[in-house]
Amino acid sequence: MMGATHKTERSRRQFLKVTGQVAAGSALLAAMAPGIHAGEDNTVRLALVGCGGRGAGAAANAMATKAAPVRLVAMADVFEDRLQRAYDGLIQAASAPRMQGSADSWVMGYQAGQVDVPPERRFLGFDAYRKAMECLRPGDVVILTTPVAFRWVHFRHAIEKGINVFMEKPVVVDGPSTRRMLDLAEQSQRKGLKVGVGLMCRHCKARHELLERIHSGQIGDLITFRTYRQQGPAGFTGPNQSGLNELLWQVRNYLSFMWASGGLFQDYVAHNVDECCWMKGSWPVRVQGSGGRCFRGDCVDQNYDHYDVEYTFADGAKLFLYARSVAGCRGEFASYAHGSKGCAVISTNMHTPAKCRIYEGQDFARERLKWAFPQPEPNPYQLEWDALIEAIRDDKPFNEAKRGTEAGLVTAMARRAVHTGQVVTYEEMLNCEEEFARDVDALTMDSPAPVQAGPDGVYPGPQPGRLKDREY
């Protein structure tokens, strides 16, 4: 039986390699498509675990790739309405593409027949991920887009099953989850699995060219980075009046709770931090910062509404991060690099198009523009999927799990520095013992929530300088 499975997988990889080459060079694949999608061994099957907007967008990007035929065959969530909405939206967008809002929510570029998820392959509950992965074969792909607290649990199971993975960022929230994910990353590499992590800016063509220009010395020695995510309120929530039990309500509002998401900060600045560290070519060694909650109203969540952070790299270079979620304030969503010979725009507004540019001097004056990436830019949300499926098709190394874990750790160390009021080093965060959600792998629909509200109905929050060894 094992020999037969190996032979089937080898034949499937050979088929995908051939069909992918045809797709890249001619229109022949389109003519072959009906037969391909009917064949069980010739198509990359997907399971979607976590059916929110980003999950549906990732599934659409996967099905839109031309690298190989792809079909969605299973879906899993803890909320039936969310799963049904994702399913209906994917079917509708096949004939009426959605391109409103930011690129991460675009749904387009595939056929309705690629969404092959009958009711018996739509699973609900905290164990639904297992049932969804049972619908896959070794070498297929599972999409992990639940709240990050569950990432290591689901990744572990995918590795056990020999299934390739795409998982959304962030992938860790604290020291213990980081250490688990680093260990799992090693296991996945040893098994030869292909693993994509949703830090799609690393697949951006404009940023790639900017990286080459920076590293060739066009702006000189790197001295300072600045990055901003300043916007209106997000991740704030009032008391539970939903009718859901406490656990399900917290999962539904995951950005409001540290255990589920690492808080709004962990989720919202992940790309900003990663793209700056990528340009620098290293992770920072320590961080300090400050923050607070200016306006709470009747909200009961754990989030701060502003963070100001100073990262330091080993050579003394700095990365300054400014995050704010307050109504009525100036907004900015961009990243910049400053060198001894000039400056660069890493991202202009949101994640794409990046509109990367290089200037003489330090003031970004239009008349001092030296280089700009030509527009329009390819969509990096699609490019990251093209790269993953091509790696599966050609059976070539592709594993972003370690880097994605390290990026999450660097974001978490800034959050911890602000929440405790202390300087936090990379090694201290990596070895930190505070765990936001112990035994998350044992949660059921009736389990108590990992965090409980205080007598005033407000959930425990940071107390910088008072709580120095934990974040809340």
Side-chain angles (χ1 to χ4, degrees), residues 85-289:
R85 185 164 59 248
Y87 175 81
D88 292 343
L90 286 168
I91 292 293
Q92 293 164 7
S95 56
R98 296 203 310 268
M99 294 187 63
Q100 298 83 19
S102 58
D104 63 330
S105 60
W106 295 352
V107 182
M108 60 181 182
Y110 58 93
Q111 303 297 316
Q114 292 174 258
V115 184
D116 178 20
V117 193
E120 62 268 22
R121 293 204 297 270
R122 303 176 205 168
F123 305 105
L124 298 173
F126 284 102
D127 63 346
Y129 71 95
R130 292 177 172 270
K131 299 172 184 176
M133 289 191 221
E134 285 299 324
C135 300
L136 303 180
R137 305 152 300 183
D140 287 326
V141 182
V142 62
I143 301 173
L144 305 180
T145 45
T146 65
V148 59
F150 303 99
R151 198 73 77 243
W152 69 267
V153 179
H154 299 165
F155 188 31
R156 180 180 65 184
H157 190 66
I159 294 169
E160 292 171 355
K161 301 287 289 184
I163 296 170
N164 299 310
V165 173
F166 176 86
M167 49 185 164
E168 189 50 77
K169 63 77 194 165
V171 301
V172 298
V173 298
D174 51 31
S177 62
T178 298
R179 296 191 295 275
R180 288 192 194 99
M181 284 296 290
L182 288 173
D183 179 64
L184 291 171
E186 289 185 9
Q187 292 181 37
S188 69
Q189 287 181 323
R190 288 196 298 268
K191 293 190 74 169
L193 297 179
K194 321 306 179 191
V195 182
V197 174
L199 292 167
M200 76 291 154
C201 295
R202 297 263 186 155
H203 295 272
C204 168
K205 299 295 186 183
R207 289 178 179 86
H208 267 282
E209 184 167 343
L210 177 63
L211 179 72
E212 292 175 1
R213 289 174 177 270
I214 287 176
H215 286 192
S216 71
Q218 290 190 20
I219 68 171
D221 296 331
L222 293 171
I223 300 169
T224 301
F225 295 86
R226 297 179 292 122
T227 188
Y228 302 80
R229 186 154 188 181
Q230 298 173 324
Q231 59 185 40
F236 307 148
T237 189
N240 181 6
Q241 299 176 343
S242 65
L244 295 171
N245 70 30
E246 185 69 14
L247 174 61
L248 294 179
W249 179 72
Q250 290 185 19
V251 172
R252 190 90 182 197
N253 296 278
Y254 67 100
L255 288 177
S256 297
F257 298 98
M258 298 293 175
W259 76 267
S261 63
L264 180 68
F265 179 86
Q266 184 79 10
D267 186 272
Y268 266 32
V269 304
H271 295 296
N272 301 62
V273 172
D274 184 59
E275 67 182 0
C276 291
C277 294
W278 180 33
M279 295 296 155
K280 174 61 178 167
S282 62
W283 301 118
V285 296
R286 65 179 182 276
V287 62
Q288 64 178 350

Side-chain angles (χ1 to χ4, degrees), residues 3 10 14 100 111 123 180 195 202 204 213 249 289 298-299 302 312 317-319 321 343 349-350 381 385 413 422 439:
R10 182 176 59 191
Q14 291 169 343
Q100 298 83 19
Q111 303 297 316
F123 305 105
R180 288 192 194 99
V195 182
R202 297 263 186 155
C204 168
R213 289 174 177 270
W249 179 72
D298 64 353
C299 292
Q302 296 182 286
T312 302
K318 301 289 186 180
L319 164 57
L321 166 63
C343 59
N349 182 32
M350 304 183 71
Y381 289 95
W385 269 101
M413 65 190 266
Q422 309 301 307
D439 302 321

Side-chain angles (χ1 to χ4, degrees), residues 16 19-20 23 29 42 44 62-63 65-70 114 389 393:
L16 290 175
T19 56
L29 184 59
N42 302 334
V44 177
M63 292 186 290
T65 186
K66 301 300 187 290
V70 176
Q114 292 174 258
I389 298 299
R393 180 195 71 195

